Amino acid sequence: NKMKLTLRLIEKNYRLVDQITFCSTFISPEHLVEASAAGNEASQEMQDAIDFVRNDLKPGPLEAEQKEFLISALRNSREELFAFLEYVPQDKLAEARARVEKENVDNREEFDGDGTEGVYNPVVLPWKNRGQ
């Protein structure tokens, strides 16, 4: 199941709690409680989605309520992450986003080959089309 694989990769590679903890070191002390609450909520929503596909999702097509649960959890996680990022100093955030964008360009350039590579899914950066 693609959803299980995707969420397993997210869990393994992003380590959301660790990333939030690291980013929190840049947040001013007067905003740390609010930022931490948003970060923890984002992490919990993502973990709920991961736990659902790991423990409750059966093989076969997604039922409407399963799909709605996953979409809701992932959307809520994204919005809470945006709330968390509002507390991160903008210069630090801009630096991190620039690194991600450069890495995506480098990966795309490395990926371009002789046409036998298979399916290519370009990355859509969430901060570039927020609200969708």
Side-chain angles (χ1 to χ4, degrees):
N1 186 315
K2 288 182 186 179
M3 183 63 70
K4 284 185 180 184
L5 176 61
T6 300
L7 288 173
R8 268 192 249 142
L9 290 171
I10 288 171
E11 181 179 36
K12 179 180 179 185
N13 295 320
Y14 289 112
R15 298 180 335 270
L16 194 54
V17 172
D18 294 344
Q19 298 303 322
I20 289 168
T21 301
F22 174 75
C23 286
S24 294
T25 63
F26 299 107
I27 296 172
S28 64
E30 65 265 15
H31 298 295
L32 196 53
V33 171
E34 297 95 338
S36 295
N40 290 336
E41 186 62 32
S43 180
Q44 185 59 54
E45 290 283 353
M46 181 63 70
Q47 192 61 50
D48 288 348
I50 290 167
D51 291 344
F52 177 78
V53 297
R54 179 182 293 137
N55 302 322
D56 301 324
L57 192 61
K58 306 295 182 237
L62 284 176
E63 296 173 9
E65 62 194 29
Q66 293 172 322
K67 185 176 180 180
E68 182 54 39
F69 175 82
L70 288 170
I71 288 171
S72 176
L74 295 172
R75 224 180 243 144
N76 291 342
S77 181
R78 179 186 61 197
E79 291 308 312
E80 291 295 334
L81 282 172
F82 278 129
F84 172 80
L85 292 174
E86 289 177 13
Y87 296 101
V88 175
Q90 293 305 298
D91 61 327
K92 295 291 185 190
L93 192 54
E95 288 173 23
R97 287 177 171 169
R99 274 194 311 273
V100 168
E101 290 177 22
K102 181 181 180 332
E103 184 175 317
N104 287 342
V105 169
D106 291 347
N107 288 341
R108 187 171 45 250
E109 288 172 359
E110 180 181 330
F111 177 81
D112 286 339
D114 62 6
T116 62
E117 295 81 20
V119 176
Y120 173 59
N121 294 316
V123 174
V124 177
L125 300 171
W127 56 86
K128 295 225 175 193
N129 57 351
R130 186 157 180 222
Q132 293 182 355

